[in-house]
Amino acid sequence: MTMRVKRALAAGAAGLLAAMGGVVTNLVTDSPSWTWGIALVLLVIAGAGTQVYLNDSGAHPAEPAVTAAGAGAIAIGGSAHGPVVARGDGSGAPVAPAGSGVTASGAGSVAIGGDARGSVRSSAGGTS
């Protein structure tokens, strides 16, 4: 089951629990009893639980900035699963990273934010 389906089911359950909580609240105020009071407390706890699930399952961390500046520069935000070859010719001033993230600055530079599972070669100056 995909995360989207799980979230849709949880949202439906949250709506159903809220409607049931409204009915039980009406019953508690019309004719108070321990049974209806306990039912209301359980519904409130279950509804809060579904809301916490929806909030936590939808949180995605911000993706890091990925910047490749310079002739032939390569910046990879995640992992590289194959060979990476950067050929940079030319010159330029290196770029300072803008906050956190992956920055390859300068001619032929390589920056990988995750694992490098293949060979990584850089040949600045146009030779390989």
Side-chain angles (χ1 to χ4, degrees):
M1 188 179 310
T2 66
M3 182 58 72
R4 187 175 186 159
V5 172
K6 288 179 184 178
R7 286 182 50 81
L9 290 173
L16 183 62
L17 288 167
M20 291 170 53
V23 170
V24 173
T25 299
N26 187 33
L27 292 170
V28 167
T29 56
D30 284 348
S31 56
S33 72
W34 281 103
T35 305
W36 288 123
I38 291 170
L40 181 59
V41 168
L42 292 175
L43 284 169
V44 168
I45 291 171
T50 57
Q51 291 300 317
V52 168
Y53 171 78
L54 286 170
N55 188 41
D56 287 345
S57 66
H60 297 289
E63 294 293 323
V66 178
T67 306
I74 297 174
I76 301 171
S79 297
H81 297 280
V84 178
V85 179
R87 292 185 182 92
D89 51 353
S91 62
V95 175
S100 63
V102 179
T103 302
S105 62
S109 61
V110 177
I112 300 173
D115 297 329
R117 296 190 179 130
S119 64
V120 177
R121 291 187 314 137
S122 176
S123 57
T127 60
S128 52

